[in-house]
């Protein structure tokens, strides 16, 4: 038997974050080269949930949204590094553009998301650490269907977003552009949309927007009396949709700390940063973002280490 565990209560949305945790039979979950996150064998029955100490260490989690459920041709559609500072009640999100031109250990230089295609989350983690000079403590991975399920759990009434005219057809919405409440598949389509002038850059903005909105929704819902009572059950349900290497006790502690001591500030960064890259065409990788690596390393280091403004 294998356990699909979970991460950050909120973060892998739309190509981003969700989790939950029931036991899944190995036959029901394909094991391929892409899905290399080592799972814990610990049990997580709801009836064993007990009070625990709050989480106190800063933690860096690589959040991956993938375009399938484990096939060998999977690619990482969303790549984010989330730093959670529980004592400061802060979260810092670094969105790494998937077309970033990087050195992939053991392979030619190529797009960042090709590292996942070549060697799963393990190689992608190694690639990010070596290119951007950061330490990653844990990895959490979710596919698109998992995203839909988690959004339905944490935000059952949906999220209000600004839908532009180019998005209307993709989202199957009739009427005029403007504010709409989206759920499930439509919300996934919203965060994945890139058929306008902003392309992947606009998609990253929407991913960050939805993650923050989902965080707010989850804190409001789970922070209520009923939510706290149901917290073990909800954590268990959400964890079913994410693969992670976070062990059971840390997962429970992280989840409860995040809800009972809510994050007051979320800051975001996109990499490559403004004016630090050029568009380049390569024969083996197509269109890429050719970065000033030192400048982006410095930007990430400064962002993760600085005091977050209130």
């Amino acid at each position: 038997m294998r356990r699909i565990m979970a991460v950050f209560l909120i973060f892998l949305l739309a190509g981003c974050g969700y989790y939950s945790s029931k036991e899944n039979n190995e036959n029901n979950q394909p094991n391929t080269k892409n899905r290399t996150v080592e799972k814990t064998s610990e049990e997580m029955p709801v009836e064993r949930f007990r009070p625990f100490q709050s989480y106190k260490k800063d933690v860096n989690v690589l959040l991956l949204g993938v375009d399938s459920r484990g096939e060998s041709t999977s690619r990482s559609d969303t790549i984010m590094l989330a730093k959670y500072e529980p004592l400061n009640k802060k979260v810092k999100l670094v969105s790494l553009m998937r077309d970033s031109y990087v050195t992939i250990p053991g392979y030619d230089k190529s797009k960042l998301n090709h590292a996942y295609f070549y060697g799963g989350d393990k190689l992608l983690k190694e690639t990010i650490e070596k290119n951007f000079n950061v330490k990653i403590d844990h990895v959490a991975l979710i596919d698109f269907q998992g995203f839909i399920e988690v959004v339905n759990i944490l935000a059952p009434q949906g999220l209000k977003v600004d839908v532009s005219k180019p998005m209307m057809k993709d989202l199957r919405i009739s009427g005029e552009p403007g504010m709409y409440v989206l759920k499930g598949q439509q919300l996934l389509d919203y965060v994945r949309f890139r058929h306008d002038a902003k392309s992947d850059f606009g998609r990253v903005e929407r991913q960050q927007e939805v993650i923050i909105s989902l965080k707010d929704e989850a804190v409001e819902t789970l922070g209520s009396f009923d939510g706290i009572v149901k917290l073990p059950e909800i954590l268990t349900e959400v964890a079913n949709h994410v693969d992670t290497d976070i062990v059971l006790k840390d997962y429970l502690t992280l989840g409860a700390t995040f809800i009972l001591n809510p994050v007051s500030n979320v800051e975001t960064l996109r990499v490559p940063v403004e004016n630090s890259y050029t568009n380049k065409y390569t024969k083996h990788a197509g269109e890429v973002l050719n970065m000033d690596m030192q400048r982006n390393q410095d930007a990430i280091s400064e962002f993760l280490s600085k005091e977050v403004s209130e």
Side-chain angles (χ1 to χ4, degrees):
M1 304 285 259
R2 110 179 208 230
R3 174 69 102 184
I4 296 192
M5 296 285 300
V7 154
F8 254 47
L9 250 153
I10 300 170
F11 289 66
L12 202 39
L13 294 187
C16 275
Y18 333 82
Y19 37 41
S20 82
S21 145
K22 278 179 198 165
E23 207 164 76
N24 286 332
N25 190 292
E26 204 160 326
N27 294 327
N28 295 331
Q29 214 48 282
N31 182 19
T32 71
K33 67 176 183 178
N34 294 82
R35 307 178 73 79
T36 57
V37 174
E38 294 183 4
K39 315 298 187 304
T40 176
S41 61
E42 295 185 63
E43 297 294 328
M44 189 189 282
V46 172
E47 63 272 20
R48 294 186 188 177
F49 185 89
R50 295 289 185 273
F52 35 70
Q53 293 182 342
S54 62
Y55 203 84
K56 296 178 180 178
K57 299 182 297 181
D58 292 355
V59 59
N60 291 335
V61 181
L62 178 61
L63 306 173
L64 304 177
V66 298
D67 62 6
S68 65
R69 191 64 174 173
E71 288 82 354
S72 60
T73 56
S74 296
R75 294 183 185 273
S76 51
D77 193 70
T78 301
I79 306 170
M80 282 190 177
L81 179 64
K83 182 180 182 183
Y84 178 36
E85 301 177 0
L87 294 182
N88 296 326
K89 297 193 288 186
K90 315 287 186 186
V91 168
K92 299 171 184 175
L93 292 175
V94 181
S95 292
L96 301 168
M97 299 290 290
R98 61 182 190 168
D99 289 344
S100 299
Y101 200 42
V102 297
T103 300
I104 301 176
Y107 295 85
D108 292 333
K109 198 169 183 180
S110 192
K111 293 181 180 181
L112 179 60
N113 73 331
H114 286 178
Y116 182 80
F117 179 79
Y118 296 151
D121 50 87
K122 182 177 180 182
L123 181 59
L124 181 54
K125 174 178 178 288
E126 181 183 0
T127 300
I128 293 170
E129 288 182 327
K130 290 191 174 181
N131 281 271
F132 298 108
N133 195 28
V134 295
K135 181 182 182 300
I136 297 171
D137 300 304
H138 299 290
V139 177
L141 181 152
I142 190 168
D143 68 2
F144 295 159
Q145 186 57 43
F147 166 72
I148 292 172
E149 296 297 333
V150 169
V151 168
N152 289 338
I153 293 169
L154 296 182
Q157 304 305 314
L159 297 176
K160 183 179 287 189
V161 298
D162 190 4
V163 178
S164 66
K165 186 174 182 179
M167 297 178 187
M168 302 292 284
K169 183 178 179 180
D170 279 23
L171 272 56
R172 299 168 298 283
I173 296 175
S174 59
E176 296 297 323
M179 301 302 295
Y180 286 85
V181 175
L182 303 184
K183 302 179 183 180
Q185 183 65 50
Q186 279 189 317
L187 194 59
L188 174 64
D189 293 340
Y190 172 79
V191 296
R192 297 198 67 221
F193 179 83
R194 62 188 181 105
H195 306 301
D196 60 9
K198 288 188 174 182
S199 188
D200 273 350
F201 292 89
R203 176 155 63 174
V204 165
E205 291 175 3
R206 287 187 292 277
Q207 289 168 358
Q208 293 178 342
E209 168 202 353
V210 170
I211 285 178
I212 294 172
S213 296
L214 187 60
K215 183 272 295 183
D216 293 340
E217 188 75 18
V219 167
E220 181 176 349
T221 300
L222 301 181
S224 66
F225 177 79
D226 287 344
I228 291 173
V229 171
K230 295 178 180 178
L231 183 58
E233 179 183 352
I234 293 172
L235 287 176
T236 298
E237 178 59 28
V238 174
N240 273 328
H241 305 291
V242 171
D243 287 337
T244 184
D245 56 1
I246 298 179
V247 298
L248 173 61
K249 66 181 180 64
D250 286 341
Y251 163 68
L252 291 175
T253 304
L254 272 170
T257 301
F258 196 88
I259 293 302
L260 300 177
N261 190 30
V263 165
S264 59
N265 191 298
V266 178
E267 280 205 353
T268 61
L269 178 72
R270 190 207 70 215
V271 172
V273 297
E274 289 292 335
N275 302 317
S276 71
Y277 66 93
T278 57
N279 294 305
K280 177 180 179 179
Y281 177 78
T282 64
K283 289 184 178 180
H284 64 289
E287 295 287 343
V288 299
L289 301 175
N290 194 32
M291 296 184 293
D292 179 333
M293 195 58 70
Q294 186 62 56
R295 184 171 173 185
N296 282 281
Q297 287 178 356
D298 292 344
I300 293 174
S301 176
E302 179 182 358
F303 177 73
L304 294 179
S305 61
K306 74 174 182 177
E307 292 293 326
V308 179
S309 58
E310 295 294 342

